[in-house]
Amino acid sequence: MLLGGAALTLLLIFLVFIFGSHGFGPLYKLLLDAAGPLQKGASQLTAPFRSVREKYLDLLTVREEKERLLQELQKCRTAAYANRGAVALNARLRKLLEFKESSGLPTVTARIIGKDPSHWFRSVIIDRGLSDGVDKGMPVVTGEGIVGQVYAASANYAKVLLAISPSSAIDVLLQDSRVRGILKGTGSSTYRLEYVLKTVEVAKGDHVVTAGYGGMFPPGLPVGIVSEVTRNRRGMFLEIEVTPAVDFSTLENLLVIEQKKKEFRPQPEAGAYP
């Protein structure tokens, strides 16, 4: 039925075009009046199909555009991430250079090539060794502060014991009060500052620096900032937590200070510390 109506419509349109050149005579008007309703009906019947087709094409276009935009977004994110990484690396290298120039100490630039994740003996391997002037006992730093100490070296590589290792102990001072204590690693992201008497005023935000005693680190190097102070009822000493000046999770490039130092071992007797 539908096909017959469509065929009739086409026939009437054809006749209208054939006789249309002879003017608007009675036959033309009759054919036009007959073709009009049929064309209207055919248009109404095909309109939903046209609408569905247009919506489908629009949907395909939207999906393609979405995919394109997602790809562009991913490219932008990748570029932004790479840029942030480059900026961060540049900042770290600039700090290393500033420390090298301002300290006046002979140093060797090194890069971390391996890590020991064990809790008790946290260490890293660097790409410098005896042939580069790096030897056991030398302190290791970044532009932010102390990192640790070389405890083993071969011709081309060396191991560095990190200051946050529980087996590490460093002689330090509270920068303002000049009170001495021993900084010990916890194996995590903090230090413990031990052997500071309860009679000493210590507050959050106090800066901790190397004391320079015992021949390990040069004096005055940044160590960290006091983040928590606890006064227990028992005992003679404060419990002090220190946040490192160095972010150990992002270590890459280091400086080895070329001076041999003897390893300092703390003496926990109460009378040994003022």
Side-chain angles (χ1 to χ4, degrees):
M1 183 70 179
L2 181 61
L3 293 175
L8 181 59
T9 301
L10 292 174
L11 178 60
L12 291 172
I13 293 172
F14 178 71
L15 292 173
V16 168
F17 278 105
I18 291 176
F19 295 102
S21 59
H22 300 289
F24 293 97
L27 181 58
Y28 181 90
K29 293 178 180 180
L30 179 62
L31 291 174
L32 187 60
D33 288 339
L38 291 174
Q39 286 182 299
K40 182 178 180 182
S43 177
Q44 290 175 344
L45 287 173
T46 58
F49 297 100
R50 288 199 306 271
S51 178
V52 170
R53 180 176 178 276
E54 291 172 357
K55 289 180 179 179
Y56 177 72
L57 292 175
D58 290 342
L59 181 60
L60 288 179
T61 302
V62 169
R63 287 180 178 176
E64 291 175 356
E65 184 66 12
K66 180 182 178 182
E67 289 296 327
R68 187 187 67 80
L69 291 175
L70 286 174
Q71 291 176 3
E72 290 293 330
L73 179 61
Q74 186 60 40
K75 290 180 181 178
C76 291
R77 285 176 175 173
T78 301
Y81 181 79
N83 184 59
R84 285 196 299 269
V87 170
L89 177 60
N90 182 60
R92 289 194 294 268
L93 293 176
R94 190 186 310 116
K95 286 184 178 180
L96 283 179
L97 180 60
E98 289 174 355
F99 176 87
K100 186 179 180 71
E101 293 177 345
S102 63
S103 67
L105 298 170
T107 59
V108 176
T109 303
R111 185 172 180 271
I112 293 176
I113 59 171
K115 295 183 179 181
D116 175 12
S118 63
H119 175 81
W120 180 253
F121 208 63
R122 298 192 65 175
S123 63
V124 295
I125 301 172
I126 58 175
D127 61 350
R128 294 289 185 269
L130 296 172
S131 60
D132 304 292
V134 174
D135 203 351
K136 182 178 179 180
M138 292 183 177
V140 181
V141 300
T142 68
E144 289 80 15
I146 65 167
V147 171
Q149 183 183 24
V150 176
Y151 74 91
S154 65
N156 300 306
Y157 303 99
K159 275 193 173 184
V160 177
L161 179 68
L162 299 180
I164 55 174
S165 168
S167 57
S168 172
I170 301 172
D171 208 348
V172 297
L173 296 173
L174 290 166
Q175 190 173 42
D176 293 334
S177 65
R178 312 305 293 175
V179 172
R180 179 183 173 188
I182 298 299
L183 190 82
K184 291 188 176 182
T186 62
S188 61
S189 58
T190 59
Y191 300 125
R192 290 193 319 272
L193 180 56
E194 299 185 350
Y195 307 117
V196 176
L197 294 171
K198 287 182 179 179
T199 56
V200 176
E201 290 297 324
V202 182
K204 288 183 179 181
D206 286 352
H207 289 262
V208 182
V209 298
T210 53
Y213 307 140
M216 184 189 295
F217 287 93
L221 298 181
V223 173
I225 297 176
V226 173
S227 53
E228 187 174 341
V229 181
T230 303
R231 293 178 181 271
N232 291 324
R233 296 180 62 183
R234 295 182 179 182
M236 299 173 55
F237 305 108
L238 296 171
E239 290 186 5
I240 303 173
E241 179 184 275
V242 176
T243 299
V246 171
D247 184 357
F248 286 89
S249 65
T250 60
L251 287 178
E252 291 184 45
N253 300 93
L254 310 173
L255 287 176
V256 181
I257 299 176
E258 292 184 282
Q259 51 182 8
K260 265 199 172 182
K261 300 293 181 179
K262 294 181 181 180
E263 185 177 355
F264 179 77
R265 298 187 179 277
Q267 303 295 324
E269 290 82 1
Y273 302 99

